[in-house]
Amino acid sequence: MGIKKTVKKSQEYSESIIDTVREPLIVLDQDLRVVTVSRSFYEFFKVKPEETMGQLIYDLGNKQWDIPRLRELLETILPQEAAFDNYEVEHNFATIGRRVMLLNARQIQRVLGKERVILLAIEDITERKEIEAGLEKTRKELEVIKKTADEASEFAESVINTVREPLISLDQNLRVVTVSRSFYEFFKVKPEETVGQLIYDLGNKQWDIPRLRELLETILPQEAAFDNYEVEHNFATIGRRVMLLNARQIQRVLGKERVILLAIEDITERKEIEAGLKKAHEELTELATELERAARVKSEFLANMSHELRTPLNSINGFSEVLYDETFGPLNVKQRQYVNNVLTSGKHLLLLINQILDMAKVEAGKMKLTLSSLPTESLLNELTMLVADMVTKKKIEMLIEIAEDLPDIEADELKVKEIMYNLLSNAVKFTPEGGNIGIRAKKAGSEIEIVVWDTGVGIAAENMGKIFEGFFRVDTPYSRVTEGTGLGLPLSKKLVELHGGKLSVESEGLNKGTLVRFTLPVVSRMVV
């Protein structure tokens, strides 16, 4: 009767160990059917006890566990070897996705040599594989610390030897009973300095940690189990470490002795990564706020500057026009030309100021569109007439291809005219005498696609990334720098996007022409 109770208590001890370890653990009988499964196995693989216990391992999860590599381990390797560690299995599970696992397996005698069971400890290394890609594993398997003659005790010690995380068991006086090999390796201690010692005295009293005392002396006497208890401490041998502890207080033999199991997970690096990410996020948020503030200040400055400059410039242009009209006669030809130059430069500067003001409004989010239904075909024809004189003077040809029955667009008339005038005038300016420019328009889904093209100087490959930068201009034999502002193309792109459309530029290189493609939304019509 005493032996049965001892076996029963030892089995309970073994099952408590299985339930305490943080990694999934499964026990199979000699027919490969499930005998025992750790709680972590259910949680990690999203399965229920009634779908697991007594089942053939290959049938688990609607046959998700019918894995060729697992069959090889259980049916080929283990019959030849009683223990096998670090066996890697990669598999796509329907419930939890692709996983890479390391299996530790033990085939041991369970009862009087008549039955053998298989222990499988499973470590999920998917994230480590993805992050550390190719690095060697930093943990090694546990080794057997001690064995007892009792089969159930051997089973319990085999579990301790199988798990990969540091594990320590204490007696009711908080002295060390058993320690896993990974504990010695991780904390740089030796067995002769550990077993039988008060836990607080380990490592020359490095383990006298207030948070650990609270767990062992205050929490566990009230609760038999406690998980994810965080302890941070500076060890003299291994430095600062942050650990998560899982603790179990269980009865070991005949109710006369109680032991405490502590499973330790080192999360120092994860905490450092999380802290680094948090700091980086805070710095990025601060930087974004500063950039937003700087952009707002810049936009407000440009807007105020544009307003201040536009008033006197309008006066200069007005008086220049009056002076130009009054400078008649052969003796005033030079003066008339000078006045004309002033007037031309003044108009160019006024255009630049207006575009700067528009750009500032767009970047500050203050540009307001006055949307209305606009007839596409007549609008495009009107715009081509605006550049007709420019085309004629430069002796180039303009080709117009506008599809029939185009629907109306929903847009701001003044802004659309500004976009089209910028693109058409650019095409004229950068096309040499005898060349061609053109405009095409067609419906594309719920949008109108408009293309403005030319056979002009094109864009060098090294300049393609700069064309939407403000004030970027290229002087060519066919156009003077004073003819453009360098803001027409970037402003047109922003205005198109403000309408909900897209604008792109294509060029095969110098002297191979340019094509600008953009879209504008069609008027939405409700079906009655």
Side-chain angles (χ1 to χ4, degrees):
M1 189 65 176
I3 293 176
K4 290 183 178 179
K5 286 185 178 180
T6 300
V7 170
K8 181 178 179 182
K9 295 300 181 183
S10 297
Q11 288 174 338
E12 290 177 357
Y13 174 59
S14 302
E15 291 175 359
S16 293
I17 293 175
I18 292 172
D19 192 40
T20 301
V21 296
R22 302 179 63 86
E23 62 189 30
L25 189 69
I26 187 169
V27 182
L28 308 175
D29 64 15
Q30 58 191 4
D31 297 320
L32 303 184
R33 293 185 177 276
V34 178
V35 176
T36 306
V37 172
S38 68
R39 184 184 63 178
S40 56
F41 183 92
Y42 293 126
E43 294 173 349
F44 185 80
F45 291 104
K46 313 299 183 187
V47 293
K48 299 177 181 177
E50 59 269 22
E51 302 168 345
T52 305
M53 299 299 294
Q55 297 296 313
L56 184 66
I57 188 171
Y58 307 133
D59 293 339
L60 296 184
N62 196 22
K63 299 189 184 296
Q64 289 185 55
W65 282 79
D66 193 359
I67 307 169
R69 283 276 294 169
L70 181 61
R71 282 186 176 272
E72 181 182 3
L73 173 65
L74 298 178
E75 300 176 12
T76 304
I77 297 176
L78 280 185
Q80 304 298 323
E81 303 183 38
F84 201 89
D85 293 334
N86 296 325
Y87 186 80
E88 188 171 312
V89 174
E90 181 175 345
H91 187 61
N92 275 313
F93 291 91
T95 50
I96 61 173
R98 172 187 166 276
R99 293 290 163 181
V100 183
M101 304 169 289
L102 279 185
L103 308 185
N104 277 10
R106 294 289 186 277
Q107 188 170 209
I108 60 174
Q109 183 173 315
R110 193 175 188 189
V111 180
L112 299 178
K114 295 181 180 179
E115 181 184 350
R116 297 185 71 79
V117 296
I118 295 172
L119 298 176
L120 278 181
I122 305 167
E123 180 187 6
D124 175 39
I125 61 168
T126 310
E127 292 184 4
R128 191 179 76 197
K129 278 281 188 179
E130 294 171 351
I131 296 173
E132 300 176 359
L135 293 179
E136 293 182 358
K137 296 179 290 293
T138 58
R139 291 188 185 184
K140 297 179 181 179
E141 308 79 32
L142 299 173
E143 63 182 4
V144 175
I145 303 301
K146 69 172 187 175
K147 293 183 179 179
T148 64
D150 186 271
E151 175 274 336
S153 295
E154 180 185 349
F155 178 71
E157 297 302 327
S158 295
V159 172
I160 292 176
N161 184 49
T162 302
V163 297
R164 302 180 61 86
E165 62 191 13
L167 188 69
I168 186 170
S169 63
L170 309 173
D171 64 17
Q172 56 193 3
N173 299 316
L174 303 183
R175 293 185 177 276
V176 179
V177 176
T178 309
V179 174
S180 65
R181 187 180 69 175
S182 57
F183 183 94
Y184 293 127
E185 293 174 347
F186 186 80
F187 291 104
K188 310 300 181 187
V189 293
K190 299 177 181 179
E192 57 269 23
E193 303 168 343
T194 305
V195 176
Q197 298 296 312
L198 184 67
I199 188 171
Y200 306 133
D201 292 340
L202 296 184
N204 195 23
K205 300 189 184 297
Q206 289 184 58
W207 282 78
D208 193 358
I209 307 169
R211 283 277 291 170
L212 180 62
R213 281 186 176 272
E214 181 183 5
L215 174 65
L216 298 177
E217 299 174 13
T218 304
I219 297 176
L220 279 184
Q222 305 298 323
E223 302 183 40
F226 202 89
D227 294 332
N228 297 322
Y229 185 81
E230 187 172 312
V231 174
E232 180 176 347
H233 187 61
N234 274 313
F235 293 90
T237 50
I238 61 173
R240 173 187 166 276
R241 292 289 159 179
V242 184
M243 303 168 289
L244 279 185
L245 307 185
N246 273 13
R248 294 290 183 278
Q249 186 169 213
I250 58 174
Q251 183 174 318
R252 191 176 187 187
V253 180
L254 298 176
K256 296 181 179 179
E257 182 183 347
R258 297 184 69 81
V259 297
I260 295 172
L261 297 175
L262 282 179
I264 305 168
E265 179 186 6
D266 176 40
I267 61 168
T268 309
E269 292 183 2
R270 182 179 31 164
K271 280 286 188 179
E272 290 172 352
I273 292 172
E274 290 173 353
L277 289 175
K278 182 180 179 181
K279 182 179 179 182
H281 176 72
E282 291 173 350
E283 290 176 350
L284 286 174
T285 301
E286 183 178 348
L287 178 60
T289 302
E290 187 62 26
L291 288 175
E292 183 180 352
R293 188 191 68 80
R296 185 170 61 252
V297 171
K298 171 189 169 186
S299 297
E300 291 174 355
F301 170 75
L302 290 175
N304 291 334
M305 181 191 72
S306 299
H307 281 300
E308 293 296 327
L309 291 176
R310 193 158 54 173
T311 299
L313 187 57
N314 281 329
S315 296
I316 294 172
N317 288 345
F319 285 119
S320 295
E321 288 178 350
V322 172
L323 187 58
Y324 181 81
D325 291 339
E326 293 180 354
T327 53
F328 291 102
L331 298 179
N332 293 327
V333 173
K334 285 187 177 180
Q335 292 93 325
R336 189 176 176 84
Q337 182 61 47
Y338 293 154
V339 173
N340 184 60
N341 290 342
V342 172
L343 182 57
T344 299
S345 297
K347 289 180 178 179
H348 178 269
L349 184 55
L350 184 60
L351 173 62
L352 175 60
I353 289 173
N354 287 334
Q355 288 186 336
I356 290 175
L357 184 58
D358 279 349
M359 186 69 79
K361 286 181 179 179
V362 171
E363 291 183 347
K366 295 181 179 179
M367 175 66 75
K368 304 298 182 184
L369 298 180
T370 305
L371 299 179
S372 61
S373 177
L374 304 176
T376 305
E377 186 174 353
S378 61
L379 179 65
L380 295 178
N381 286 329
E382 178 186 346
L383 288 164
T384 56
M385 292 301 294
L386 290 176
V387 296
D389 287 343
M390 297 170 59
V391 170
T392 302
K393 288 179 182 179
K394 204 157 185 188
K395 297 180 182 179
I396 59 179
E397 185 177 355
M398 180 164 57
L399 305 176
I400 302 172
E401 303 172 72
I402 301 176
E404 296 181 356
D405 301 324
L406 285 179
D408 294 351
I409 57 173
E410 188 170 21
D412 185 309
E413 182 174 1
L414 291 178
K415 299 309 176 188
V416 169
K417 287 181 177 179
E418 184 176 355
I419 294 166
M420 286 299 303
Y421 183 79
N422 284 338
L423 300 181
L424 285 169
S425 60
N426 272 351
V428 173
K429 282 183 290 189
F430 292 105
T431 301
E433 183 177 321
N436 297 323
I437 72 168
I439 180 170
R440 297 196 298 265
K442 67 178 182 179
K443 187 179 183 207
S446 60
E447 296 175 316
I448 296 294
E449 180 185 84
I450 301 170
V451 173
V452 177
W453 58 270
D454 63 66
T455 59
V457 297
I459 303 171
E462 63 269 20
N463 289 330
M464 284 299 291
K466 304 175 184 177
I467 59 177
F468 292 117
E469 296 177 3
F471 304 106
F472 176 74
R473 295 179 294 186
V474 178
D475 194 16
T476 75
Y478 317 118
S479 67
R480 301 189 308 276
V481 171
T482 54
E483 291 179 343
T485 65
L487 283 176
L489 187 57
L491 180 57
S492 296
K493 184 175 189 293
K494 288 184 178 295
L495 291 176
V496 167
E497 291 173 349
L498 201 59
H499 280 83
K502 296 179 181 178
L503 183 147
S504 61
V505 178
E506 303 167 20
S507 178
E508 295 182 3
L510 286 176
N511 301 315
K512 294 188 178 180
T514 303
L515 181 149
V516 182
R517 188 190 314 274
F518 69 98
T519 59
L520 291 171
V522 171
V523 173
S524 57
R525 302 189 183 280
M526 297 183 63
V527 179
V528 181

